Amino acid sequence: MLVLTRRLDESIIIGDNIEIKVLEVSGEQVRLGIIAPKDVSIYRKELYEKIKEVNIASGKTKEERLVLPLKFKERR
Amino acid sequence: MEAVKSSSYEVLDLKPENIFTFPEGIPGFEKVKRFVILTHPQETPFARLTALDYDLCFFVVIPWVICPDYKPDIDEEDLKKIDSPSNEEILILSIVNIPYDPKESTMNLVAPLIINTKKGLGRQVIINNFKEYTPKFKLWQEE
């Protein structure tokens, strides 16, 4: 991993079109500003990993049947 | 003409306007880009978001059916990515996770699917107000 030290209002550039700027530092929190092309998706990593995990758990084969619990059917 | 078959469904003739393309796939299934939505009366209110090119489907539901006060704040950048600057034309669905014991089923309120039905473009997004919701919202609350 490349490690760089940056101060408030300083940036790093990744490639020629992604910029990440330190906007605010307070205690354990760092606010970052990111400028990137529209086709680059940006996520908070732990959130992205969680969504990935839930998606993988949710995927079914096309043959799987859906059995609904009775309670739900009764409610409607 | 392409056709897709699923256990409890008839073979569906595929018209291009019924195919939704997720250009980036969805997290965990990045290669899966083409889907159709299949419904079956016995599975109401759920539908199946079914992949065309893989043996894969997801149960999905219109989140307000389960959670009427759901208020997802969808980022404008995400709307632009499905060519839908206003959110009037989009279909919003939540992926449902139905485990072995269906009473433990949950739906993902943090990362709904947004689909521009006119343009046939879809995307899974993380809502701006993700802190207010859970990706594992229980469909059947304990009594």
Side-chain angles (χ1 to χ4, degrees):
Chain A
M1 186 188 285
L2 172 67
V3 180
L4 300 170
T5 301
R6 301 278 64 199
R7 294 172 191 279
L8 200 62
D9 292 332
E10 291 183 341
S11 290
I12 62 166
I13 301 280
I14 300 173
D16 57 5
N17 51 16
I18 297 177
E19 178 176 358
I20 300 173
K21 187 174 186 179
V22 180
L23 299 180
E24 188 186 324
V25 182
S26 78
E28 291 192 337
Q29 282 198 330
V30 180
R31 273 173 78 83
L32 301 173
I34 301 160
I35 300 168
K38 291 214 185 317
D39 60 340
V40 176
S41 294
I42 300 157
Y43 301 101
R44 291 165 179 81
K45 184 179 176 181
E46 70 286 359
L47 209 49
Y48 182 83
E49 295 295 331
K50 184 73 191 169
I51 297 311
K52 193 169 170 175
E53 177 197 314
V54 173
N55 281 348
I56 289 169
S58 304
K60 303 276 188 192
T61 67
K62 291 175 184 173
E63 293 303 313
E64 272 182 77
R65 313 209 59 130
L66 177 62
V67 182
L68 294 176
L70 282 173
K71 227 196 290 178
F72 190 81
K73 283 182 178 166
E74 283 166 6
R75 207 167 69 179
R76 257 124 250 283
Chain B
M1 183 169 288
E2 287 178 277
V4 62
K5 194 173 183 298
S6 191
S7 64
S8 42
Y9 298 91
E10 300 297 316
V11 173
L12 177 79
D13 286 331
L14 289 186
K15 297 173 189 158
E17 60 265 34
N18 293 334
I19 299 173
F20 301 129
T21 301
F22 285 59
E24 295 172 46
I26 65 168
F29 299 93
E30 287 78 3
K31 287 181 182 169
V32 188
K33 300 188 191 293
R34 299 197 306 157
F35 293 92
V36 289
I37 293 176
L38 300 179
T39 58
H40 187 286
Q42 285 182 3
E43 295 183 345
T44 303
F46 303 102
R48 291 182 190 229
L49 182 75
T50 305
L52 283 188
D53 308 302
Y54 296 85
D55 182 16
L56 174 73
C57 69
F58 297 94
F59 285 103
V60 291
V61 68
I62 293 171
W64 294 280
V65 170
I66 313 277
C67 191
D69 55 355
Y70 181 49
K71 288 188 183 66
D73 176 8
I74 294 165
D75 202 283
E76 270 179 41
E77 291 299 321
D78 284 317
L79 291 172
K80 282 183 197 161
K81 284 179 179 172
I82 58 163
D83 264 353
S84 180
S86 73
N87 60 3
E88 285 164 17
E89 293 169 18
I90 63 170
L91 172 65
I92 297 181
L93 296 170
S94 289
I95 296 181
V96 177
N97 180 16
I98 303 170
Y100 183 72
D101 177 1
K103 283 181 188 155
E104 298 298 317
S105 297
T106 59
M107 69 174 178
N108 186 343
L109 293 180
V110 166
L113 305 168
I114 60 172
I115 298 172
N116 179 338
T117 51
K118 283 189 183 158
K119 299 266 171 76
L121 280 175
R123 176 175 174 77
Q124 187 175 27
V125 303
I126 295 176
I127 57 175
N128 285 332
N129 52 339
F130 63 90
K131 285 182 182 162
E132 297 166 34
Y133 295 101
T134 164
K136 292 184 171 180
F137 182 83
K138 287 193 81 170
L139 298 190
W140 289 276
Q141 304 295 338
E142 297 296 328
E143 283 181 349

